[in-house]
Amino acid sequence: MLKMGFLVIFLLLSLTSPGWCVDPRIYIVATYPYTERLYNTNAMVVNKDGDAFLSCAVDNRPVGMPLQWIWMWKEYTRSISTDTEATDPYKYQIDKPADNNWRLKIQNIQPSDEGLYICRVQLGDQQYANDSRTLFIVESPQIIDIYTSSDTTVKEGDPVELRCNASGRPSPIITWTRLGDGILPNGGREQRGYYLRITAAQAEHRGHYKCIAKNSAGQDVRVIRLDVKFHPRVTVVENRVYQATGYLKELVCQVRGNPVPTENQIMWSKDDSTLQGNSFLVFENTFGSNTVMMKLTIPRVQDQDFGRYTCLAENSEGADTTYIDLMRSDTPTSDRKGVIRSGAVILTFSITTLLMMLSVLLLHLC
Ligand SMILES: *[C@@H]1O[C@H](CO)[C@@H](O)[C@H](O)[C@H]1NC(C)=O
Ligand SMILES: *[C@@H]1O[C@H](CO)[C@@H](O)[C@H](O)[C@H]1NC(C)=O
């Protein structure tokens, strides 16, 4: 009874697909790089300039029917091999690791090699059994110098356009970020696109901008420095300060500018006459902040020292000025370090310090 059942099934199978047991079976057994599922196809992702391998196996090959590799892309078709001979030996190689195995090597892969690789065997007139893989060529991004800004200097108020572009496959996505405080001129920490645009450059836009070109194959990075020149801004803490006669007073103006004003570009004046002599001018450039302090020290304030002091600073971009009125007071005021000093006190202090340092030195020597 059981035997009869098997027989029936066998007969039915034979009838529905006559000759099923001798149908050729063709299949790609191995690939390098490995096959993955991409865009709904069996795909291989290959780096540009690399090589790829596809091994095709055939069971029950009809006698005398060649196995062929062909390439298809859109409406184009190209024959790669006739059984064991490659049509273009510089691009393709065929070998047979096993009797029923045809291995194709594609060398030095270029974007023009992208397409569908089919191994097929002819069954009858215009009838084929086949298997295939789609080859995608990728290339790691590389920033293109001629399409990418180098370090840039602009004047305050000027429009800025930083550009960045890279080669690569698929087309890289360009992203901008900012080093340091990280906030881009248009707000946000990240911005996409070839261009980073600033309508009117401001001092706070100075800094380093990073362009990242990224695709599935990798990334490339470029840092572009933006410098913004601006005219000096002279500021004071207070426009009116007080001191009693006989005491020391320090007048201080703060100057910001790019380029930073040099010692020859800052000036103190009192009642329309320039004050000269290095003992009156102290030049401090706090590194990187583009700021200098203009300091005018009056060791012992006398009657004729009261009045309006003007500090002026200039650079290539322009000039600025502000004033400090030194007013008489009955009681001594402290300087910015919070110490009330007269000229005599300074001298005493200096000698004491010197003696202390000497004794420390001597102690160390003993
Ligand atoms: C591959 O085989 C399928 C049927 O399995 C057929 O429709 C298709 O046209 C074949 N392709 C080529 C290029 O021979
Ligand atoms: C970016 O580069 C591609 C070529 O790699 C070019 O076709 C495109 O015009 C460039 N775009 C910009 C904005 O530089």
Side-chain angles (χ1 to χ4, degrees), residues 66 150 158 183 210 262 273 357:
S150 40
D158 282 354
I183 304 291
K210 186 158 128 183
T262 64
S273 58
M357 279 167 69

Side-chain angles (χ1 to χ4, degrees), residues 27 36 84 99 165 192-194 199 241 262 291 296 310 332 360:
Y27 49 101
E36 55 188 283
T84 53
D99 220 27
N165 198 355
R192 272 201 187 179
Y194 296 118
T199 325
V241 296
T262 64
T291 303
L296 176 65
T310 307
V360 168

Side-chain angles (χ1 to χ4, degrees), residues 70 72 118 120 128-131:
I70 59 169
M72 277 176 78
I118 305 163
R120 69 179 187 186
Y128 299 95
N130 64 62
D131 195 6

Side-chain angles (χ1 to χ4, degrees), residues 133-166:
R133 294 290 184 270
T134 308
L135 215 64
F136 289 106
I137 319 301
V138 295
E139 191 184 357
S140 185
Q142 203 162 6
I143 287 178
I144 311 168
D145 285 337
I146 54 161
Y147 292 153
T148 302
S149 302
S150 40
D151 291 351
T152 303
T153 302
V154 296
K155 287 173 182 286
E156 184 176 34
D158 282 354
V160 181
E161 189 179 83
L162 297 184
R163 184 190 190 183
C164 183
N165 198 355

